[in-house]
Amino acid sequence: ERDLFESMFRQLPESQRLVARALAIEPIGIFTADYRESHFLPTLSTVSTAVHRLMADSQIDQIDGSYRIIDPLFAHHLRKTASV
């Protein structure tokens, strides 16, 4: 599945890749300045657009006020590869 997840990840635009990886690591507080800074995310408007597109593509969902990667295996892959 690693090849499939890498292919899925590479097909995302850069802003969506950054947001997806950040959400896999820490799903709460994505729109705060501290969160964006700690995860090296772009501007608030770019993050917002990336979140909306990831939701439209059924990659993430909003649950109890936080955003999460829908596929837990994909989220695990993103966390694992974040340190590489």
Side-chain angles (χ1 to χ4, degrees):
E1 294 178 336
R2 183 181 65 204
D3 293 337
L4 172 65
F5 292 145
E6 274 304 306
S7 176
M8 288 170 49
F9 185 72
R10 281 190 301 248
Q11 290 177 11
L12 295 172
E14 179 69 17
S15 61
Q16 291 179 38
R17 281 186 288 210
L18 292 170
V19 167
R21 183 160 278 149
L23 288 173
I25 295 167
E26 183 181 10
I28 298 171
I30 190 164
F31 295 113
T32 67
D34 288 341
Y35 183 99
R36 290 191 327 272
E37 185 178 316
S38 69
H39 291 282
F40 306 101
L41 296 178
T43 64
L44 178 59
S45 62
T46 302
V47 169
S48 180
T49 299
V51 165
H52 291 300
R53 289 189 178 150
L54 287 166
M55 286 183 73
D57 291 341
S58 299
Q59 294 292 324
I60 66 172
D61 196 8
Q62 186 177 15
I63 303 168
D64 296 329
S66 64
Y67 293 88
R68 298 184 189 274
I69 305 292
I70 290 174
D71 183 339
L73 293 176
F74 185 46
H76 174 75
H77 174 77
L78 293 175
R79 284 189 298 275
K80 186 176 176 183
T81 59
S83 62
V84 173

mmCIF file with all atom_site columns, all heavy atoms in Angstrom, residues 1-11 71 74 77:
data_model
loop_
_atom_site.group_PDB
_atom_site.id
_atom_site.type_symbol
_atom_site.label_atom_id
_atom_site.label_alt_id
_atom_site.label_comp_id
_atom_site.label_asym_id
_atom_site.label_entity_id
_atom_site.label_seq_id
_atom_site.pdbx_PDB_ins_code
_atom_site.Cartn_x
_atom_site.Cartn_y
_atom_site.Cartn_z
_atom_site.occupancy
_atom_site.B_iso_or_equiv
_atom_site.pdbx_formal_charge
_atom_site.auth_seq_id
_atom_site.auth_comp_id
_atom_site.auth_asym_id
_atom_site.auth_atom_id
_atom_site.pdbx_PDB_model_num
ATOM 1   N N   . GLU A 1 1  ? 0.801  -1.185 0.000  1.00 0.00 ? 1  GLU A N   1
ATOM 2   C CA  . GLU A 1 1  ? 0.000  0.000  0.000  1.00 0.00 ? 1  GLU A CA  1
ATOM 3   C C   . GLU A 1 1  ? 0.855  1.264  0.000  1.00 0.00 ? 1  GLU A C   1
ATOM 4   O O   . GLU A 1 1  ? 0.361  2.332  -0.307 1.00 0.00 ? 1  GLU A O   1
ATOM 5   C CB  . GLU A 1 1  ? -0.950 0.001  1.191  1.00 0.00 ? 1  GLU A CB  1
ATOM 6   C CG  . GLU A 1 1  ? -1.985 -1.087 1.112  1.00 0.00 ? 1  GLU A CG  1
ATOM 7   C CD  . GLU A 1 1  ? -2.904 -1.111 2.318  1.00 0.00 ? 1  GLU A CD  1
ATOM 8   O OE1 . GLU A 1 1  ? -2.498 -0.624 3.381  1.00 0.00 ? 1  GLU A OE1 1
ATOM 9   O OE2 . GLU A 1 1  ? -4.017 -1.612 2.163  1.00 0.00 ? 1  GLU A OE2 1
ATOM 10  N N   . ARG A 1 2  ? 2.114  1.136  0.359  1.00 0.00 ? 2  ARG A N   1
ATOM 11  C CA  . ARG A 1 2  ? 3.003  2.297  0.402  1.00 0.00 ? 2  ARG A CA  1
ATOM 12  C C   . ARG A 1 2  ? 3.067  2.999  -0.948 1.00 0.00 ? 2  ARG A C   1
ATOM 13  O O   . ARG A 1 2  ? 2.984  4.224  -1.020 1.00 0.00 ? 2  ARG A O   1
ATOM 14  C CB  . ARG A 1 2  ? 4.395  1.879  0.855  1.00 0.00 ? 2  ARG A CB  1
ATOM 15  C CG  . ARG A 1 2  ? 5.346  3.066  0.978  1.00 0.00 ? 2  ARG A CG  1
ATOM 16  C CD  . ARG A 1 2  ? 6.712  2.642  1.399  1.00 0.00 ? 2  ARG A CD  1
ATOM 17  N NE  . ARG A 1 2  ? 7.279  1.816  0.341  1.00 0.00 ? 2  ARG A NE  1
ATOM 18  C CZ  . ARG A 1 2  ? 8.232  0.928  0.518  1.00 0.00 ? 2  ARG A CZ  1
ATOM 19  N NH1 . ARG A 1 2  ? 8.719  0.707  1.711  1.00 0.00 ? 2  ARG A NH1 1
ATOM 20  N NH2 . ARG A 1 2  ? 8.690  0.227  -0.485 1.00 0.00 ? 2  ARG A NH2 1
ATOM 21  N N   . ASP A 1 3  ? 3.163  2.233  -2.021 1.00 0.00 ? 3  ASP A N   1
ATOM 22  C CA  . ASP A 1 3  ? 3.219  2.830  -3.356 1.00 0.00 ? 3  ASP A CA  1
ATOM 23  C C   . ASP A 1 3  ? 1.931  3.574  -3.692 1.00 0.00 ? 3  ASP A C   1
ATOM 24  O O   . ASP A 1 3  ? 1.967  4.660  -4.270 1.00 0.00 ? 3  ASP A O   1
ATOM 25  C CB  . ASP A 1 3  ? 3.500  1.772  -4.413 1.00 0.00 ? 3  ASP A CB  1
ATOM 26  C CG  . ASP A 1 3  ? 4.897  1.182  -4.297 1.00 0.00 ? 3  ASP A CG  1
ATOM 27  O OD1 . ASP A 1 3  ? 5.783  1.850  -3.722 1.00 0.00 ? 3  ASP A OD1 1
ATOM 28  O OD2 . ASP A 1 3  ? 5.099  0.059  -4.780 1.00 0.00 ? 3  ASP A OD2 1
ATOM 29  N N   . LEU A 1 4  ? 0.800  3.003  -3.325 1.00 0.00 ? 4  LEU A N   1
ATOM 30  C CA  . LEU A 1 4  ? -0.489 3.659  -3.548 1.00 0.00 ? 4  LEU A CA  1
ATOM 31  C C   . LEU A 1 4  ? -0.566 4.968  -2.770 1.00 0.00 ? 4  LEU A C   1
ATOM 32  O O   . LEU A 1 4  ? -0.954 6.001  -3.314 1.00 0.00 ? 4  LEU A O   1
ATOM 33  C CB  . LEU A 1 4  ? -1.639 2.734  -3.136 1.00 0.00 ? 4  LEU A CB  1
ATOM 34  C CG  . LEU A 1 4  ? -3.035 3.373  -3.130 1.00 0.00 ? 4  LEU A CG  1
ATOM 35  C CD1 . LEU A 1 4  ? -3.451 3.781  -4.542 1.00 0.00 ? 4  LEU A CD1 1
ATOM 36  C CD2 . LEU A 1 4  ? -4.040 2.425  -2.514 1.00 0.00 ? 4  LEU A CD2 1
ATOM 37  N N   . PHE A 1 5  ? -0.175 4.943  -1.502 1.00 0.00 ? 5  PHE A N   1
ATOM 38  C CA  . PHE A 1 5  ? -0.229 6.149  -0.680 1.00 0.00 ? 5  PHE A CA  1
ATOM 39  C C   . PHE A 1 5  ? 0.736  7.208  -1.189 1.00 0.00 ? 5  PHE A C   1
ATOM 40  O O   . PHE A 1 5  ? 0.420  8.396  -1.204 1.00 0.00 ? 5  PHE A O   1
ATOM 41  C CB  . PHE A 1 5  ? 0.064  5.825  0.783  1.00 0.00 ? 5  PHE A CB  1
ATOM 42  C CG  . PHE A 1 5  ? -1.004 5.008  1.442  1.00 0.00 ? 5  PHE A CG  1
ATOM 43  C CD1 . PHE A 1 5  ? -0.685 4.061  2.384  1.00 0.00 ? 5  PHE A CD1 1
ATOM 44  C CD2 . PHE A 1 5  ? -2.347 5.184  1.130  1.00 0.00 ? 5  PHE A CD2 1
ATOM 45  C CE1 . PHE A 1 5  ? -1.661 3.309  3.017  1.00 0.00 ? 5  PHE A CE1 1
ATOM 46  C CE2 . PHE A 1 5  ? -3.340 4.433  1.746  1.00 0.00 ? 5  PHE A CE2 1
ATOM 47  C CZ  . PHE A 1 5  ? -2.991 3.499  2.688  1.00 0.00 ? 5  PHE A CZ  1
ATOM 48  N N   . GLU A 1 6  ? 1.906  6.799  -1.625 1.00 0.00 ? 6  GLU A N   1
ATOM 49  C CA  . GLU A 1 6  ? 2.863  7.764  -2.181 1.00 0.00 ? 6  GLU A CA  1
ATOM 50  C C   . GLU A 1 6  ? 2.321  8.396  -3.455 1.00 0.00 ? 6  GLU A C   1
ATOM 51  O O   . GLU A 1 6  ? 2.475  9.586  -3.689 1.00 0.00 ? 6  GLU A O   1
ATOM 52  C CB  . GLU A 1 6  ? 4.216  7.095  -2.453 1.00 0.00 ? 6  GLU A CB  1
ATOM 53  C CG  . GLU A 1 6  ? 5.115  7.063  -1.259 1.00 0.00 ? 6  GLU A CG  1
ATOM 54  C CD  . GLU A 1 6  ? 5.375  8.442  -0.677 1.00 0.00 ? 6  GLU A CD  1
ATOM 55  O OE1 . GLU A 1 6  ? 5.804  9.356  -1.408 1.00 0.00 ? 6  GLU A OE1 1
ATOM 56  O OE2 . GLU A 1 6  ? 5.152  8.606  0.530  1.00 0.00 ? 6  GLU A OE2 1
ATOM 57  N N   . SER A 1 7  ? 1.680  7.592  -4.276 1.00 0.00 ? 7  SER A N   1
ATOM 58  C CA  . SER A 1 7  ? 1.072  8.112  -5.502 1.00 0.00 ? 7  SER A CA  1
ATOM 59  C C   . SER A 1 7  ? -0.040 9.103  -5.174 1.00 0.00 ? 7  SER A C   1
ATOM 60  O O   . SER A 1 7  ? -0.124 10.178 -5.776 1.00 0.00 ? 7  SER A O   1
ATOM 61  C CB  . SER A 1 7  ? 0.524  6.962  -6.345 1.00 0.00 ? 7  SER A CB  1
ATOM 62  O OG  . SER A 1 7  ? -0.151 7.450  -7.476 1.00 0.00 ? 7  SER A OG  1
ATOM 63  N N   . MET A 1 8  ? -0.888 8.757  -4.210 1.00 0.00 ? 8  MET A N   1
ATOM 64  C CA  . MET A 1 8  ? -1.965 9.662  -3.791 1.00 0.00 ? 8  MET A CA  1
ATOM 65  C C   . MET A 1 8  ? -1.375 10.973 -3.289 1.00 0.00 ? 8  MET A C   1
ATOM 66  O O   . MET A 1 8  ? -1.859 12.053 -3.626 1.00 0.00 ? 8  MET A O   1
ATOM 67  C CB  . MET A 1 8  ? -2.798 9.022  -2.666 1.00 0.00 ? 8  MET A CB  1
ATOM 68  C CG  . MET A 1 8  ? -3.678 7.889  -3.105 1.00 0.00 ? 8  MET A CG  1
ATOM 69  S SD  . MET A 1 8  ? -4.435 6.968  -1.724 1.00 0.00 ? 8  MET A SD  1
ATOM 70  C CE  . MET A 1 8  ? -5.105 8.263  -0.697 1.00 0.00 ? 8  MET A CE  1
ATOM 71  N N   . PHE A 1 9  ? -0.329 10.876 -2.486 1.00 0.00 ? 9  PHE A N   1
ATOM 72  C CA  . PHE A 1 9  ? 0.299  12.058 -1.896 1.00 0.00 ? 9  PHE A CA  1
ATOM 73  C C   . PHE A 1 9  ? 0.926  12.936 -2.968 1.00 0.00 ? 9  PHE A C   1
ATOM 74  O O   . PHE A 1 9  ? 0.756  14.160 -2.969 1.00 0.00 ? 9  PHE A O   1
ATOM 75  C CB  . PHE A 1 9  ? 1.332  11.614 -0.859 1.00 0.00 ? 9  PHE A CB  1
ATOM 76  C CG  . PHE A 1 9  ? 1.954  12.750 -0.110 1.00 0.00 ? 9  PHE A CG  1
ATOM 77  C CD1 . PHE A 1 9  ? 1.221  13.446 0.833  1.00 0.00 ? 9  PHE A CD1 1
ATOM 78  C CD2 . PHE A 1 9  ? 3.264  13.104 -0.329 1.00 0.00 ? 9  PHE A CD2 1
ATOM 79  C CE1 . PHE A 1 9  ? 1.793  14.495 1.540  1.00 0.00 ? 9  PHE A CE1 1
ATOM 80  C CE2 . PHE A 1 9  ? 3.839  14.141 0.363  1.00 0.00 ? 9  PHE A CE2 1
ATOM 81  C CZ  . PHE A 1 9  ? 3.108  14.838 1.305  1.00 0.00 ? 9  PHE A CZ  1
ATOM 82  N N   . ARG A 1 10 ? 1.637  12.345 -3.905 1.00 0.00 ? 10 ARG A N   1
ATOM 83  C CA  . ARG A 1 10 ? 2.313  13.114 -4.962 1.00 0.00 ? 10 ARG A CA  1
ATOM 84  C C   . ARG A 1 10 ? 1.328  13.812 -5.879 1.00 0.00 ? 10 ARG A C   1
ATOM 85  O O   . ARG A 1 10 ? 1.657  14.846 -6.470 1.00 0.00 ? 10 ARG A O   1
ATOM 86  C CB  . ARG A 1 10 ? 3.231  12.212 -5.769 1.00 0.00 ? 10 ARG A CB  1
ATOM 87  C CG  . ARG A 1 10 ? 4.553  11.935 -5.088 1.00 0.00 ? 10 ARG A CG  1
ATOM 88  C CD  . ARG A 1 10 ? 5.480  11.239 -6.046 1.00 0.00 ? 10 ARG A CD  1
ATOM 89  N NE  . ARG A 1 10 ? 4.872  9.989  -6.479 1.00 0.00 ? 10 ARG A NE  1
ATOM 90  C CZ  . ARG A 1 10 ? 5.316  8.793  -6.175 1.00 0.00 ? 10 ARG A CZ  1
ATOM 91  N NH1 . ARG A 1 10 ? 6.391  8.663  -5.459 1.00 0.00 ? 10 ARG A NH1 1
ATOM 92  N NH2 . ARG A 1 10 ? 4.708  7.707  -6.594 1.00 0.00 ? 10 ARG A NH2 1
ATOM 93  N N   . GLN A 1 11 ? 0.119  13.276 -6.024 1.00 0.00 ? 11 GLN A N   1
ATOM 94  C CA  . GLN A 1 11 ? -0.873 13.888 -6.902 1.00 0.00 ? 11 GLN A CA  1
ATOM 95  C C   . GLN A 1 11 ? -1.519 15.132 -6.293 1.00 0.00 ? 11 GLN A C   1
ATOM 96  O O   . GLN A 1 11 ? -2.135 15.921 -7.004 1.00 0.00 ? 11 GLN A O   1
ATOM 97  C CB  . GLN A 1 11 ? -1.954 12.868 -7.267 1.00 0.00 ? 11 GLN A CB  1
ATOM 98  C CG  . GLN A 1 11 ? -1.452 11.795 -8.187 1.00 0.00 ? 11 GLN A CG  1
ATOM 99  C CD  . GLN A 1 11 ? -2.513 10.751 -8.482 1.00 0.00 ? 11 GLN A CD  1
ATOM 100 O OE1 . GLN A 1 11 ? -3.676 10.928 -8.171 1.00 0.00 ? 11 GLN A OE1 1
ATOM 101 N NE2 . GLN A 1 11 ? -2.097 9.653  -9.084 1.00 0.00 ? 11 GLN A NE2 1
ATOM 102 N N   . ASP A 1 71 ? -8.858 8.054  5.753  1.00 0.00 ? 71 ASP A N   1
ATOM 103 C CA  . ASP A 1 71 ? -8.260 6.720  5.721  1.00 0.00 ? 71 ASP A CA  1
ATOM 104 C C   . ASP A 1 71 ? -7.166 6.638  6.790  1.00 0.00 ? 71 ASP A C   1
ATOM 105 O O   . ASP A 1 71 ? -6.114 7.266  6.664  1.00 0.00 ? 71 ASP A O   1
ATOM 106 C CB  . ASP A 1 71 ? -7.664 6.458  4.333  1.00 0.00 ? 71 ASP A CB  1
ATOM 107 C CG  . ASP A 1 71 ? -7.082 5.074  4.175  1.00 0.00 ? 71 ASP A CG  1
ATOM 108 O OD1 . ASP A 1 71 ? -6.756 4.420  5.197  1.00 0.00 ? 71 ASP A OD1 1
ATOM 109 O OD2 . ASP A 1 71 ? -6.941 4.637  3.025  1.00 0.00 ? 71 ASP A OD2 1
ATOM 110 N N   . PHE A 1 74 ? -3.708 5.772  5.470  1.00 0.00 ? 74 PHE A N   1
ATOM 111 C CA  . PHE A 1 74 ? -3.060 6.891  4.781  1.00 0.00 ? 74 PHE A CA  1
ATOM 112 C C   . PHE A 1 74 ? -2.505 7.872  5.817  1.00 0.00 ? 74 PHE A C   1
ATOM 113 O O   . PHE A 1 74 ? -1.380 8.363  5.677  1.00 0.00 ? 74 PHE A O   1
ATOM 114 C CB  . PHE A 1 74 ? -4.055 7.582  3.837  1.00 0.00 ? 74 PHE A CB  1
ATOM 115 C CG  . PHE A 1 74 ? -3.463 8.670  2.990  1.00 0.00 ? 74 PHE A CG  1
ATOM 116 C CD1 . PHE A 1 74 ? -2.264 8.503  2.320  1.00 0.00 ? 74 PHE A CD1 1
ATOM 117 C CD2 . PHE A 1 74 ? -4.121 9.878  2.844  1.00 0.00 ? 74 PHE A CD2 1
ATOM 118 C CE1 . PHE A 1 74 ? -1.725 9.507  1.528  1.00 0.00 ? 74 PHE A CE1 1
ATOM 119 C CE2 . PHE A 1 74 ? -3.597 10.894 2.062  1.00 0.00 ? 74 PHE A CE2 1
ATOM 120 C CZ  . PHE A 1 74 ? -2.394 10.707 1.397  1.00 0.00 ? 74 PHE A CZ  1
ATOM 121 N N   . HIS A 1 77 ? 0.624  6.448  7.185  1.00 0.00 ? 77 HIS A N   1
ATOM 122 C CA  . HIS A 1 77 ? 1.691  6.603  6.194  1.00 0.00 ? 77 HIS A CA  1
ATOM 123 C C   . HIS A 1 77 ? 2.247  8.033  6.221  1.00 0.00 ? 77 HIS A C   1
ATOM 124 O O   . HIS A 1 77 ? 3.456  8.232  6.180  1.00 0.00 ? 77 HIS A O   1
ATOM 125 C CB  . HIS A 1 77 ? 1.163  6.259  4.795  1.00 0.00 ? 77 HIS A CB  1
ATOM 126 C CG  . HIS A 1 77 ? 2.150  6.536  3.718  1.00 0.00 ? 77 HIS A CG  1
ATOM 127 N ND1 . HIS A 1 77 ? 3.216  5.718  3.453  1.00 0.00 ? 77 HIS A ND1 1
ATOM 128 C CD2 . HIS A 1 77 ? 2.221  7.567  2.820  1.00 0.00 ? 77 HIS A CD2 1
ATOM 129 C CE1 . HIS A 1 77 ? 3.922  6.227  2.460  1.00 0.00 ? 77 HIS A CE1 1
ATOM 130 N NE2 . HIS A 1 77 ? 3.336  7.349  2.066  1.00 0.00 ? 77 HIS A NE2 1
#
